Amino acid sequence: MPKNTIAIAADHGGFELKQALSQYLHELGVEVCDLGTHGLESVDYPDYAMEMSKWITANPDGKGILICGSGIGISIAANRFSHIRAALCHDSLSARLSRQHNDANVLCLGARLIGIETAKDCVSNFLSSKFEGGRHAGRVEKLSNM
Ligand code: RB5
């Protein structure tokens, strides 16, 4: 995986936002690995969380974006995998804090709840923010051991 690559996946509810964010990521110079879905036909969000889980297994330092209608189902599904720390975010602050405090490696978005500009804001904050470590490191470590 080139260093500057992010994986993205969505169900049908998130398909259009996935397409728009993929374009935005290209404009930012970020390579996008599109794990589907590739159309508006109804699909099941757990399948796309599973695809993301496989991708993060293959790319342990990689980051991903998962989208469904509310962001809820796909974030629940993603957090079933112990190597994923998925954060459902609705604004730039939560996206930034998910990186700084929780070392989130997957950003989840609800396409039916936020607009494209807010989604872009979430993505840019998620990508530009770094894990602060320190007092947060032990807490994140505990997540891995649960
Ligand atoms: C699909 O209609 C919708 O239920 C799904 O995208 C998501 O919102 C589930 O949490």
Side-chain angles (χ1 to χ4, degrees):
M1 170 191 72
K3 197 165 166 25
N4 203 18
T5 300
I6 190 161
I8 193 165
D11 74 354
H12 55 289
F15 170 72
E16 286 173 332
L17 183 59
K18 173 171 74 66
Q19 300 309 102
L21 288 179
S22 297
Q23 177 63 37
Y24 174 62
L25 288 160
H26 282 304
E27 287 163 15
L28 293 180
V30 177
E31 290 279 330
V32 176
C33 181
D34 188 339
L35 304 176
T37 186
H38 300 293
L40 289 168
E41 188 185 333
S42 184
V43 292
D44 299 329
Y45 57 79
D47 297 339
Y48 295 89
M50 174 70 86
E51 290 306 312
M52 184 62 72
S53 168
K54 288 186 207 159
W55 191 85
I56 299 276
T57 297
N59 302 280
D61 297 326
K63 294 199 175 45
I65 299 171
L66 286 172
I67 312 168
C68 70
S70 64
I72 296 170
I74 210 156
S75 61
I76 291 172
N79 278 313
R80 302 227 160 186
F81 301 98
S82 60
H83 61 307
I84 291 190
R85 291 175 300 283
L88 174 55
C89 298
H90 298 106
D91 54 69
S92 56
L93 178 59
S94 53
R96 176 162 64 78
L97 289 172
S98 79
R99 290 287 309 125
Q100 291 177 334
H101 291 189
N102 312 109
D103 200 18
N105 53 2
V106 174
L107 171 69
C108 297
L109 299 170
R112 293 174 182 152
L113 305 185
I114 59 170
I116 178 65
E117 295 306 325
T118 300
K120 286 181 184 173
D121 237 19
C122 288
V123 168
S124 68
N125 276 274
F126 184 76
L127 292 181
S128 62
S129 302
K130 303 258 174 298
F131 181 48
E132 288 177 354
R135 71 186 192 277
H136 305 294
R139 296 164 186 165
V140 170
E141 182 67 24
K142 284 190 179 186
L143 294 176
S144 303
N145 298 330
M146 289 178 94

